[in-house]
Every structure is written in C-alpha cells, then in structure tokens.
Amino acid sequence: MKKIILYLSAFLFCLTNVVAQNKIIVEASKIIAPVQPTMWGIFFEDINFAADGGIYAELVKNRSFEFTTPLMGWKEIKQNGGNGKLLVINDAQLKPQNPRYLRISSDTINGEYGLSNEGFRGMGIQKNEQYNFSVWVRKKEGNAKIIVELIGTNGKKLGTASLQNFTNDWKKYKVSFTSNDTCSKAKLNVLLQGKGTIDVDMISLFPQHTWKERPEGLRADLVQWLADLKPGFIRFPGGCIVEGRDLANRYQWKKTVGTIENRELIINRWNTEFKNKLTPDYFQSYGLGFYEYFLLAEDIGAEPLPILNCGMACQFNSAEVAAIENEKEFIQDALDLIEFANGSITTKWGKLRAAMGHPKPFNLKMMGVGNENWGAQYIERNIAFTKAIKAKYPNIQLVNSSGTDPDGERFNFLNDTLRKLGADLIDEHYYRAPEWFLQNVKHYDNYDRKGSKVFAGEYAAHSKLTNDGEKKNNWESALAEAAFMTGLERNAGVVYMASYAPLFAHIDAWQWAPDLIWFNSLQSYATPNYYVQQMYSTNKGTHVISMLHDGETIAGKNNVYGNAVIDKNKKEVIIKLANVNATSINYTIELNGLKKINNKAVMQLLTSNNIADVNNFIQPQNIKPVEQTIAINNNELIISLPPSSFSVIKIPVEIK
Ligand code: AHR
C-alpha cells in the first residue's frame, strides 16, 4: 500500500511538473483584433452534383429535353401492348430559352406508351412522403390520359397518379401522390393511355417535404447541414463554374432568374473537365438560380457573396477573354445584380425580385470580380470593373482574385498589384498536402493589417493516406485544417473571411474530392472536416486575445497549434488547441484579465485513433465532437490534449 502511495505521489509530482512547464497564459484584456462576423463561411459551387441532383430537390433529370442529347436520362417504354412514337421538336422561335419539347403519340387504344426517367443516378423516394408531379402539356390529337408511375428497383409500383382533359394551348398540370415504400434508386414512368398525341415539356417531380416546405424547393437535409454551420457568408455560384470553359459557357446570373421554364439550361463545366471522371449527364437547369441563392443566404443567416465573371473564361481551359471594349456588358451585369438584390421595387431588377416573391431587399454588401483569374489581363478588367461599381455603389466591398495558389509568380504579381490598387479583399486558394497546412500556420502573421484584407476563399488539405472519394476526407486532413485555422483566426486582423471547398459531393456522381458533405439520393453525412469548420464557426468569438506559451504564439512548436478568442456578447473565453502528436500532451492554462471566471469549462473534443479514419454512410458519426467538463481552480485549468485531437474549450467569464 505504502509503495502504491509512493508511486502515485511520484506520478502526480511529475504531472504537476510537466503541466507547470507547459503553461499557457491567456490575457483576456490583451485584444489582438476583432473577429469579423463574416469570418467563417460557406463556398457553394455546382460541382459533384451539388445543385441539380443535389440540393435542388427536383428528381427528374433532363426535364426539358435540353441536354445535348435530348433524350439523355429517358428511355422509351411500352406496357400491356401499348405502342407509339416519340419526337423531339425544337421551336426556338416560340421558346428561345427552352426551345425543345417532346411529342408523344400513342397509337393503341389498349396498353400504355411513353418514357421513363432514371433521375440523378436514381430517384431517392421515402415511404409515406407526398410527391408532386407537374408537366406542361399541349394536346394535339385524341384524348389520351397521362399515367404517372413511380417504380422501385424491384419493379414495385411505389405510387401512381393520372392527368387528363388537356387543352390545345400549353398549360402546366399538377398531380400529387404518396409513396408506399422507400427506395434509393427509383424511376418515373410517364405514359400515355388511349390513342392520341400530346406535346410535353418541363416534366417534374418534387418531394412535398423540402427546406422550409417551399414548393419545388431545396433538399431539407442538405440545407440543414449548412444552417448548422451558422455561416458568416455564402459564396456562390463558384468556383470555375463562374468562368466557364469558354465565355459562352460562363455563369450568367440573368439567365438563372425569373420563371423556371424560361431559364436557359447549359452544360455544366465539370461534365467533361476530368477524363477519368467524365460526367456526361451533368448540366445546369438553374432551378437553383441567383434568387434561390439569395434566399438560401437569408434563410441560414449568411451574407450573400456572389462571384461574377469579369470577361474571362477559365485560364486552364480556353483562357478566352472578352475584348476590353466589351467589358461594359460584364460590368452592367454586376450593376444590375446589385439592383436585383438591393434596388427598390420600382427599378427594373428590383421589380423582378419582388415578382419572384421578395419585395424586401437582400442587402447585398459584397461581390467577387472573377474567380481564379490571373495576369495583366485580369488587372486590366478588374480596374474597369472596380471603377464602375465603386462609382455607383461605393459601399459594396469587392473580392479580387489572386489566381490559383497562395504563392509563386502569378500570386506575387496579383497580390502586389491589387494591394497597390487598394483592393478591398483578396481571395486566396490552397488545395495542398496536410504538411503544407501545418507548415503555413504563420502564413498571415506578417501581412499588412492596414491594407487589403484576405478572403481564404477555397482551401482543403489533400491527404495522400487514403485515395478514393470520400476516404480523402480523413482525420489527417481535418486535423491539419484545424491546426491551420488557428493561424487564420489569430490573424483575424487581416483575414476577414474563410471557406472550405468544395462543399457537397454525390457519392455516385462526384468529380472532385475531398468535399465537406457527402450525400446520396436519400442520406447525407458530415465529414470530420465539416465538424472542424463547425467548431470554428459556432465558436468564433468577437475578438482575438493573447494566448502564449513560453512567450510565443502557439504555432507548431511541439506540434501543437492554438489560439484564443473572447466572445463579449456570450461572455465566454474560447480556446482552440490542435495536438498533432501521436501522444497526449498536458497543459496548465492560466486565465488573466477577467473580472470573474466560472469554475467549470466545457471542452468539445474531436479526435480519432487513426489518422486515416473517416466518416461514411455506414458510420456517419465515426468522428464527431464529444463534450466534457473541466474544473477551473481560481484562474487555472489543467488539460490533457489526447493524441491527434482538436479541442475547443469554452469558459464562461465576466469581463472587466
Ligand atoms: O473547388 C473546386 C475548384 O477549385 C473551384 O471551382 C476552383 O475555383 C478551384 O480551382
């Protein structure tokens, strides 16, 4: 017994000694910088089926027959002796934005004839959910009925409905039904019964249950992930999608607003981008257009940040630029967008916003000039753009591109030039190895605080430990990001915004990995990287405060990374610490400069045994934050950071 007590005392003596040496001092009254409300945000791009087939809840693929191959996603079917013909008709004079429609002729009195849609790699159907079918129809001959059938993978009829009595003019018809079973890869049959000919367009099926129950709206589970991040901003619509492979393929916001059937579909630039990941059925229907993006931003409490094309196509593809004499057109699009978002309802574009259902302005405060553009050609266009926007809207903050990398010749030229020009914000992108993130935690320590501010607009650690798809979102990558983000946060005096990229990936249709959130037709899960983002964005604080170890910021010595903030509204000191060691490490944290400190802190801990670990559809919460409480004695807490872990410690305080 005596021996045990001796051992125990020796152990406790060692521990106290170690933690005494490992003392972190937090000075709450030493404010380093305010943290911008926009600090942690979201990057949304229609890549990996993020929009069509993803967040936009439409279940029918190629609903308006405008894909390059007009019947892609559709298959002719004949049932019970039915027979007939399909004819794709193009009437650009009548419907310039959506010129094609389908003529279906049923030649038999008995049986059914028509076509079947496969959805976006199958339709995700839930038991007992209501589904709303709609279609534009014009009768040509006879009195055929439309039969709608939802069919499960085993051939089971999940639901059915019918429509009839069509007029000779185009009109939208609707019918709803409830599914009797769940199926992740259902298909939709649209059949004519009886002899006759009709023209159809915009064949559509939506679940009744959507985000905020909006008709023909967004997938609720996917938007919920975004809302739960409590993001400071949402950047949209990309990404390279802004630039397009060539200028004709660029994102043009005006084509994405107004009535759905008049939005002009285009090919998605990720359709053919990667030879090993060809996605021939990837198009943009623009059901999720700029109005819906603004609404989404408002719903989740994020500042909208649209990025506009400034007359330059993707420089990795065609690298085409608009003649500088034609820059006016691009500038006008930007000015009109500000009017669409903020203008009075008596203005042309403000009136459209009101007609779409939002008379109140969206209060747009910032906008991006191009994505990943570089070179003198960018500077030339950027100057013209900035001059025109600032002349009319001096308070709109402009985000400027620094190219594709946070270093190198391209970056240095743009960064130097844009800073000399007094740019508001400069957008930096880095998709690098986890080691880069660890080595660059001090990346912003010496940036000028007075000049242009930084938007870390796209970043993700690309681990080589695990190769394919969702496995790339392993714990190694998330921990490296957590460590690096202490540096972003510590430098909140110059880093005003940051967003992980890309955001979403469909497990059966992705082009780019890693990604923050993975989904299939029915389910979705958050990656460890998501939880890191969430631990930052829901604990961002209002001010960075001093936190030192041995008189230095905690930026990689002994493989530990840390930063502290105070939240003057919530009255909390929040400490973030990433331990990138394979062993645990102990610290004493001394808190100074406060009127009163609670005797308990809450610690959110994110960790996993193996750095190759991931979340997936089978174990979606394999890695997720867990909470524990820690005692505080006087003004000190003793903590043990587990191996490979990220901790957020929240301490209720009274501020002097
Ligand atoms: O996030 C994927 C792509 O990476 C973005 O579209 C582009 O901006 C960057 O190259």
Side-chain angles (χ1 to χ4, degrees):
M1 185 65 180
K2 218 170 155 192
K3 238 180 178 177
I4 295 177
I5 293 175
L6 267 178
Y7 279 139
L8 210 60
S9 334
F11 171 73
L12 283 175
F13 173 78
C14 286
L15 187 70
T16 331
N17 224 11
V18 169
V19 290
Q21 281 166 18
N22 274 347
K23 187 165 236 184
I24 290 174
I25 303 200
V26 176
E27 294 287 351
S29 53
K30 274 199 191 157
I31 302 285
I32 310 293
V35 180
Q36 299 302 315
T38 50
M39 182 73 196
W40 307 111
I42 291 176
F43 163 92
F44 188 102
E45 174 165 28
D46 189 5
I47 182 171
N48 305 319
F49 274 34
D52 288 327
I55 198 168
Y56 182 51
E58 171 66 89
L59 292 165
V60 177
K61 184 169 75 181
N62 191 13
R63 63 187 174 188
S64 59
F65 311 103
E66 301 298 333
F67 282 18
T68 318
T69 307
L71 288 180
M72 183 178 265
W74 295 96
K75 216 169 106 191
E76 182 189 41
I77 46 171
K78 300 170 186 180
Q79 283 181 186
N80 307 316
N83 205 354
K85 287 183 283 302
L86 299 175
L87 184 67
V88 176
I89 302 178
N90 185 317
D91 191 347
Q93 265 184 3
L94 183 74
K95 304 192 298 148
Q97 295 93 346
N98 174 8
R100 291 196 194 129
Y101 57 88
L102 184 70
R103 178 157 298 171
I104 313 177
S105 305
S106 161
D107 301 340
T108 53
I109 296 173
N110 297 320
E112 297 88 36
Y113 174 77
L115 66 173
S116 174
N117 189 274
E118 66 190 23
F120 296 90
R121 314 296 161 98
M123 296 179 184
I125 300 297
Q126 302 273 14
K127 186 174 179 173
N128 296 334
E129 283 276 340
Q130 184 182 314
Y131 288 88
N132 301 329
F133 174 84
S134 68
V135 58
W136 282 80
V137 185
R138 174 172 71 176
K139 185 172 84 174
K140 294 308 284 179
E141 258 174 31
N143 270 318
K145 253 187 183 178
I146 292 183
I147 307 289
V148 181
E149 297 173 341
L150 205 46
I151 307 291
T153 25
N154 53 6
K156 181 178 171 187
K157 236 177 240 175
L158 305 174
T160 181
S162 66
L163 288 166
Q164 56 195 328
N165 300 328
F166 306 115
T167 65
N168 291 36
D169 295 319
W170 280 108
K171 201 175 135 195
K172 186 174 177 176
Y173 295 82
K174 296 179 187 177
V175 65
S176 299
F177 54 91
T178 301
S179 168
N180 58 30
D181 212 345
T182 295
C183 178
S184 62
K185 291 198 183 292
K187 60 182 181 177
L188 178 77
N189 291 346
V190 181
L191 301 154
L192 284 202
Q193 201 175 58
K195 237 176 153 180
T197 298
I198 58 167
D199 293 336
V200 292
D201 202 358
M202 296 296 289
I203 300 180
S204 166
L205 185 72
F206 274 91
Q208 165 74 17
H209 172 51
T210 56
W211 170 252
K212 291 198 179 278
E213 309 307 334
R214 292 207 181 98
E216 306 186 350
L218 305 182
R219 219 177 108 170
D221 63 323
L222 297 185
V223 181
Q224 193 60 54
W225 288 118
L226 307 187
D228 291 347
L229 283 172
K230 303 208 182 327
F233 67 91
I234 177 165
R235 165 190 173 150
F236 55 88
C240 295
I241 207 148
V242 170
E243 304 151 83
R245 297 179 66 79
D246 54 22
L247 282 171
N249 181 231
R250 74 188 188 275
Y251 198 101
Q252 299 184 59
W253 75 267
K254 288 177 180 164
K255 296 188 176 186
T256 76
V257 292
T259 49
I260 294 277
E261 59 277 12
N262 290 321
R263 299 186 190 177
E264 186 182 323
L265 173 142
I266 66 167
I267 192 165
N268 186 302
R269 59 103 68 229
W270 297 107
N271 181 312
T272 47
E273 185 64 19
F274 300 120
K275 284 201 174 58
N276 59 335
K277 276 276 170 197
L278 288 178
T279 320
D281 55 344
Y282 203 1
F283 288 77
Q284 299 180 82
S285 72
Y286 292 132
L288 174 62
F290 260 39
Y291 176 79
E292 289 78 17
Y293 278 123
F294 278 116
L295 210 55
L296 173 63
E298 185 174 85
D299 287 349
I300 61 176
E303 294 293 343
L305 170 53
I307 308 287
L308 294 198
N309 189 302
C310 64
M312 300 178 72
C314 179
Q315 285 160 280
F316 289 119
N317 300 141
S318 71
E320 183 185 23
V321 297
I324 196 73
E325 295 74 27
N326 298 338
E327 191 63 15
K328 293 190 276 314
E329 183 195 330
F330 295 83
I331 292 171
Q332 195 56 50
D333 273 358
L335 294 171
D336 291 343
L337 181 64
I338 301 172
E339 186 177 292
F340 177 74
N342 296 351
S344 122
I345 59 169
T346 56
T347 60
K348 175 179 172 193
W349 293 103
K351 191 171 166 194
L352 175 61
R353 182 193 69 239
M356 291 184 76
H358 203 286
K360 259 180 42 201
F362 282 117
N363 197 14
L364 176 69
K365 300 189 185 91
M366 52 192 171
M367 179 186 271
V369 185
N371 172 67
E372 287 196 349
N373 296 130
W374 68 77
Q377 60 273 49
Y378 175 63
I379 295 295
E380 191 182 13
R381 281 156 186 81
N382 181 292
I383 289 174
F385 221 91
T386 306
K387 198 172 152 207
I389 307 272
K390 291 282 183 186
K392 192 156 181 199
Y393 299 105
N395 295 329
I396 292 282
Q397 293 287 293
L398 293 177
V399 170
N400 302 265
S401 159
S402 67
T404 53
D405 296 279
D407 45 34
E409 220 175 284
R410 258 183 217 158
F411 173 83
N412 292 339
F413 166 71
L414 286 178
N415 195 40
D416 292 350
T417 314
L418 289 167
R419 282 173 184 279
K420 281 187 198 128
L421 289 167
D424 297 326
L425 285 139
I426 301 178
D427 181 10
E428 295 188 14
H429 294 182
Y430 21 91
Y431 297 101
R432 301 276 173 109
E435 299 76 40
W436 183 92
F437 281 82
L438 299 179
Q439 285 152 12
N440 281 273
V441 71
K442 292 184 172 177
H443 190 76
Y444 295 109
D445 282 10
N446 299 319
Y447 267 52
D448 176 13
R449 263 55 186 161
K450 292 198 197 81
S452 307
K453 303 299 180 275
V454 171
F455 169 31
E458 293 183 30
Y459 64 89
H462 283 218
S463 166
K464 291 203 174 69
L465 268 182
T466 38
N467 281 326
D468 196 42
E470 57 179 339
K471 296 207 184 83
K472 284 196 165 192
N473 283 100
N474 59 29
W475 178 232
E476 182 195 36
S477 68
L479 184 59
E481 287 152 12
F484 176 78
M485 288 162 76
T486 61
L488 295 180
E489 191 183 75
R490 194 180 51 252
N491 286 292
V494 66
V495 180
Y496 274 25
M497 303 164 77
S499 45
Y500 181 98
L503 183 62
F504 282 119
H506 188 308
I507 190 73
D508 297 328
W510 60 274
Q511 299 81 42
W512 180 300
D515 305 286
L516 208 59
I517 299 159
W518 286 81
F519 64 91
N520 58 28
S521 64
L522 286 175
Q523 302 148 301
S524 51
Y525 74 86
T527 58
N529 314 70
Y530 173 95
Y531 290 115
V532 166
Q533 293 291 321
Q534 192 181 42
M535 286 164 81
Y536 272 91
S537 62
T538 56
N539 294 297
K540 65 172 168 274
T542 53
H543 297 82
V544 179
I545 54 177
S546 165
M547 178 163 98
L548 301 175
H549 178 236
D550 284 345
E552 289 174 21
T553 56
I554 303 169
K557 202 164 112 188
N558 304 327
N559 297 324
V560 175
Y561 303 78
N563 188 53
V565 294
I566 190 163
D567 192 315
K568 293 196 176 180
N569 304 323
K570 291 189 194 156
K571 299 199 172 52
E572 274 178 349
V573 165
I574 305 163
I575 296 168
K576 302 186 178 85
L577 285 162
N579 175 17
V580 185
N581 291 291
T583 52
S584 64
I585 185 158
N586 302 318
Y587 286 104
T588 298
I589 303 180
E590 181 182 307
L591 296 167
N592 297 324
L594 291 155
K595 197 159 132 197
K596 204 170 159 202
I597 301 165
N598 199 31
N599 60 2
K600 269 189 209 134
V602 173
M603 175 158 153
Q604 287 182 345
L605 178 69
L606 192 64
T607 185
S608 200
N609 293 336
N610 188 327
I611 55 170
D613 285 350
V614 294
N615 291 345
N616 54 38
F617 287 103
I618 297 156
Q619 286 188 291
Q621 300 200 332
N622 187 29
I623 306 173
K624 71 162 197 179
V626 289
E627 280 195 2
Q628 61 192 72
T629 49
I630 307 176
I632 304 177
N633 289 312
N634 299 320
N635 64 337
E636 284 194 348
L637 7 16
I638 296 176
I639 53 155
S640 176
L641 302 178
S644 277
S645 65
F646 176 52
S647 305
V648 175
I649 303 158
K650 297 199 273 186
I651 308 147
V653 296
E654 275 182 36
I655 301 163
K656 269 186 187 163

